[in-house]
Amino acid sequence: MTFRMKGALLACAMAVTVGAGAATAKADQFINILTGGTAGVYYPLGVALAKIYGDKIDGARTQVQSTKGSVENLNLLQAGKGEFALTLGDSLKLAWAGDADAGFKTKLDKIRGIAAVYPNYIQIVASKESGIKSLADLKGKSLSVGAPKSGTELNTRAIMAAAGMSYKDLAKTEYLPFAESVELIKNRQLDATLQSAGLGVASIRDLASSVPIQVVAVPADMVAKLGAPYIGATIPANTYSGQDADVATVAVVNFAVTHEGVSEEMVYQMTKQMFENLPDMVAAHKAAAAIKLEKALEGMPVPLHPGAARYYKEKGLM
């Protein structure tokens, strides 16, 4: 074989290698899943989804990012720094409106809907020794309201306003994620925490197993004051250790969202695999048991992504 022939063969081999590498790079699709604090519900569901997507979507590489929750997730999506996120419905509505007070400097017009998922329950929990039994009893006490401008903190503001109160009525306001709030209550440095999460959230289970607790009711008459997207709800008896009766509260629906820059095929697959592997999500957290395909389009406050729409058309929902 001549030197020239060997050179030509080597060049061909290199071209094949480069071409194969390009095909592989094109096939790999990164999915960054934006969640919340590790002690909440978003995080374990995000971990379950990352495994589902990694196993079921060809070429998918997944990552789970712990965040401060809804507001941060939506701002990250708008900036193209994630492909899938979970968010509270009221935060999503405010993001689409561009509500600066809620943490959105401009209208987040790149956000696109995937599905309504499960409701977050407003869960106000105090230590028994604090003496807090009602919303009115929060006056003069210390309360953790959630991370600053998180979805939980927006919920706290709404609840307190409906009760005719503000942070000024509190002796101390802490802006902390779920796990940190619980640790302060355990150490008698905080009276109560408001947590917007699925039922059975790990942080409150941890607290209830450590100290006697009081789950504080949000009365039914406050639902009308709050209005959409809040709905009346009940925290069933024995959801937490020492909670021996049903407790009235309010809930707000969570949504799975993406942004317009994610391909139709990718969002189609993310929607399809989420609904077709729900048992794996329920195994990660029982809050996922409330995710129903027939409710996927209820109350969606932003435009639906074409990939999600394609899946729902296949299923006869559109």
Side-chain angles (χ1 to χ4, degrees):
M1 185 181 289
T2 67
F3 178 79
R4 183 174 292 177
M5 288 175 67
K6 286 181 179 178
L9 285 171
L10 180 61
C12 284
M14 289 178 68
V16 169
T17 302
V18 171
T24 302
K26 188 176 181 182
D28 284 347
Q29 299 178 83
F30 190 63
I31 305 174
N32 187 27
I33 299 171
L34 305 170
T35 59
T38 56
V41 176
Y42 286 2
Y43 188 79
L45 292 185
V47 171
L49 277 170
K51 186 174 190 314
I52 291 166
Y53 292 163
D55 291 346
K56 305 286 185 180
I57 301 176
D58 288 343
R61 293 184 299 119
T62 61
Q63 172 182 300
V64 180
Q65 183 174 341
S66 175
T67 69
K68 293 178 182 177
S70 300
V71 177
E72 184 179 4
N73 290 352
L74 291 164
N75 281 314
L76 285 170
L77 275 188
Q78 178 74 10
K81 295 180 179 178
E83 286 67 43
F84 180 103
L86 292 166
T87 177
L88 281 162
D90 55 344
S91 298
L92 184 55
K93 186 176 180 180
L94 292 167
W96 189 250
D99 190 309
D101 288 340
F104 308 108
K105 294 179 180 178
T106 60
K107 176 185 172 73
L108 303 195
D109 57 355
K110 296 180 181 179
I111 305 298
R112 296 294 181 267
I114 293 178
V117 282
Y118 67 93
N120 256 26
Y121 289 72
I122 305 303
Q123 300 171 76
I124 304 170
V125 182
S127 63
K128 280 273 191 186
E129 71 176 18
S130 71
I132 297 169
K133 295 180 180 179
S134 68
L135 286 173
D137 293 337
L138 287 171
K139 289 183 178 180
K141 302 289 186 178
S142 56
L143 173 71
S144 178
V145 298
K149 292 192 175 179
S150 61
T152 292
E153 205 247 315
L154 296 181
N155 290 164
T156 306
R157 289 191 214 175
I159 295 296
M160 293 198 72
M165 292 190 288
S166 72
Y167 294 166
K168 292 179 181 178
D169 292 301
L170 301 172
K172 188 178 183 182
T173 305
E174 295 282 5
Y175 296 86
L176 295 171
F178 295 172
E180 287 88 336
S181 303
V182 163
E183 288 306 311
L184 286 185
I185 294 175
K186 286 183 188 178
N187 295 330
R188 296 182 176 179
Q189 295 173 293
L190 182 70
D191 294 315
T193 174
L194 184 149
Q195 304 198 359
S196 178
L199 291 175
V201 63
S203 52
I204 299 178
R205 283 193 286 110
D206 175 34
L207 178 63
S209 68
S210 303
V211 299
I213 65 165
Q214 176 71 48
V215 182
V216 180
V218 179
D221 62 1
M222 286 187 62
V223 177
K225 289 182 183 178
L226 288 162
Y230 291 92
I231 56 174
T234 300
I235 303 171
N238 303 311
T239 297
Y240 301 106
S241 178
Q243 181 214 339
D244 55 8
D246 290 353
V247 177
T249 191
V250 292
V252 60
V253 174
N254 286 289
F255 289 85
V257 290
T258 185
H259 65 81
E260 64 180 9
V262 183
S263 72
E264 178 180 326
E265 179 61 24
M266 176 56 76
V267 177
Y268 168 79
Q269 288 294 337
M270 290 195 300
T271 310
K272 174 185 173 73
Q273 299 306 333
M274 179 176 70
F275 282 108
E276 296 188 2
N277 292 279
L278 284 175
D280 292 344
M281 294 183 67
V282 175
H285 200 287
K286 65 181 182 180
I291 302 174
K292 307 290 182 185
L293 177 59
E294 60 270 22
K295 294 185 177 181
L297 299 173
E298 290 184 4
M300 179 65 71
V302 298
L304 198 63
H305 192 285
R310 180 175 137 203
Y311 178 70
Y312 298 133
K313 286 171 184 174
E314 283 185 5
K315 291 296 180 180
L317 268 68
M318 294 180 70

